[in-house]
Amino acid sequence: MVKAYQRYQLGEKGTLGAIASTTCCDVQWGDASGHLAFSASLDAVVLWNLRTGAKVAELRDPEGSAEVASLTVSSSSRLVGVGHQDGKVRLWERDSLEMRVALDGHRAVAGALAFNDDGTLLASGSFDTDVIVWDVVAESGLYRLRGHKDAVTAVCFIAGGGGPGRLVSASKDSLIKVWELEQQHCMQTLTGHRSEVWALTVDPASRRMISGGSDAELRVWAINPDAKAPTAPPAGGAVVSTWGEEDKEGSHAVTFLGSVPKGSRA
């Protein structure tokens, strides 16, 4: 019996059509209907129709070739934020799918992104160990936050503080840091993870935060928006909150509640 095989021609980048990327596993909703979603595809971001499985559009800057490293969407400002392996962060209009600006400030992979609630600020964390807070409206950097000793892997905004509020960052150095943005300094360092921290998420009410790392445990934290930041950075650096420490004075912005170890079942 003779078998016949169809012939396929490889694309310009040597693939038959990648629908995912090994450098970015982020997936974000494309709209409120639940029918659209964004995902990374090598150096581009693809908008998918989840009902039909068809590709709706592709976000790719012809002047850039670095692969996508992080992805986030703001429902308030209707922007898509994309971090790349070369450290650049690109902002795209979610409705028109046109690129708005390319932000250049990191020296290494921009592997973590997060918008604040109203979409006016964007935080980017990088493998260069820095966190940059960007003014989305002015399309420029506001300040650089330094303190981690290894790659920054996750960032998220939380309630509390004055002005722009507070930001939390996680790193491969096993630490989680809470930043008071109005004063631009670290007000608290959270310990407890025994190895790299890779994920952060905050509930919609900004009352609870969960962190996950390569130690195979999820840690649950309480967010105290009423905690007062010191008028000046504490001598010797930020307040260090050790695992399981009780916050008797209610002065900690984030307090440990408990953990979910590997193998736990509901």
Side-chain angles (χ1 to χ4, degrees):
M1 182 175 65
V2 178
K3 291 184 179 181
Y5 296 92
Q6 288 184 323
R7 215 169 148 190
Y8 293 89
Q9 176 120 18
L10 289 177
E12 294 180 359
K13 295 187 175 295
T15 70
L16 292 172
I19 62 171
S21 174
T22 58
T23 59
C24 178
C25 58
D26 298 334
V27 178
Q28 299 285 338
W29 290 110
D31 64 359
S33 71
H35 298 157
L36 300 174
F38 290 101
S39 71
S41 176
L42 300 179
D43 61 339
V45 171
V46 175
L47 178 62
W48 299 95
N49 185 317
L50 300 180
R51 301 183 69 180
T52 64
K55 181 169 69 173
V56 176
E58 189 174 76
L59 311 182
R60 174 183 281 116
D61 182 0
E63 298 183 1
S65 59
E67 291 192 22
V68 174
S70 55
L71 175 63
T72 188
V73 174
S74 169
S75 57
S76 301
S77 61
R78 308 188 70 81
L79 290 174
V80 180
V82 184
H84 292 265
Q85 291 286 319
D86 60 0
K88 286 186 173 60
V89 177
R90 290 177 171 83
L91 297 181
W92 299 79
E93 298 285 350
R94 195 179 66 173
D95 295 332
S96 65
L97 301 178
E98 294 182 355
M99 194 178 80
R100 177 167 166 179
V101 66
L103 304 170
D104 192 358
H106 288 296
R107 304 182 306 276
V109 179
L113 294 175
F115 285 102
N116 68 343
D117 285 342
D118 61 11
T120 58
L121 297 178
L122 173 70
S124 60
S126 170
F127 283 22
D128 63 11
T129 75
D130 291 348
V131 175
I132 298 178
V133 178
W134 305 89
D135 185 327
V136 173
V137 178
E139 300 179 354
S140 62
L142 291 176
Y143 31 82
R144 187 183 301 268
L145 306 174
R146 289 185 169 130
H148 283 294
K149 303 301 182 184
D150 207 333
V152 178
T153 54
V155 290
C156 63
F157 287 87
I158 62 172
R166 291 172 180 152
L167 181 75
V168 179
S169 60
S171 170
K172 290 174 68 176
D173 63 10
S174 81
L175 301 177
I176 299 171
K177 291 184 176 289
V178 183
W179 305 88
E180 181 71 25
L181 296 182
E182 189 171 44
Q183 300 175 13
Q184 301 172 32
H185 75 261
C186 178
M187 65 177 293
Q188 190 179 359
T189 297
L190 309 176
T191 65
H193 281 286
R194 295 182 296 276
S195 57
E196 302 168 353
V197 185
W198 282 97
L200 293 172
T201 188
V202 177
D203 78 313
S206 197
R207 289 293 180 179
R208 295 288 184 269
M209 179 178 74
I210 299 176
S211 59
S214 55
D215 56 3
E217 287 193 12
L218 297 177
R219 282 176 167 74
V220 184
W221 310 82
I223 297 172
N224 179 14
D226 299 323
K228 301 297 183 183
T231 56
V239 174
V240 177
S241 300
T242 56
W243 178 72
E245 177 186 6
E246 183 180 359
D247 183 16
K248 296 180 180 179
E249 300 179 357
S251 60
H252 294 171
V254 178
T255 306
F256 177 74
L257 289 180
S259 63
V260 182
K262 180 180 179 181
S264 296
R265 297 183 180 181

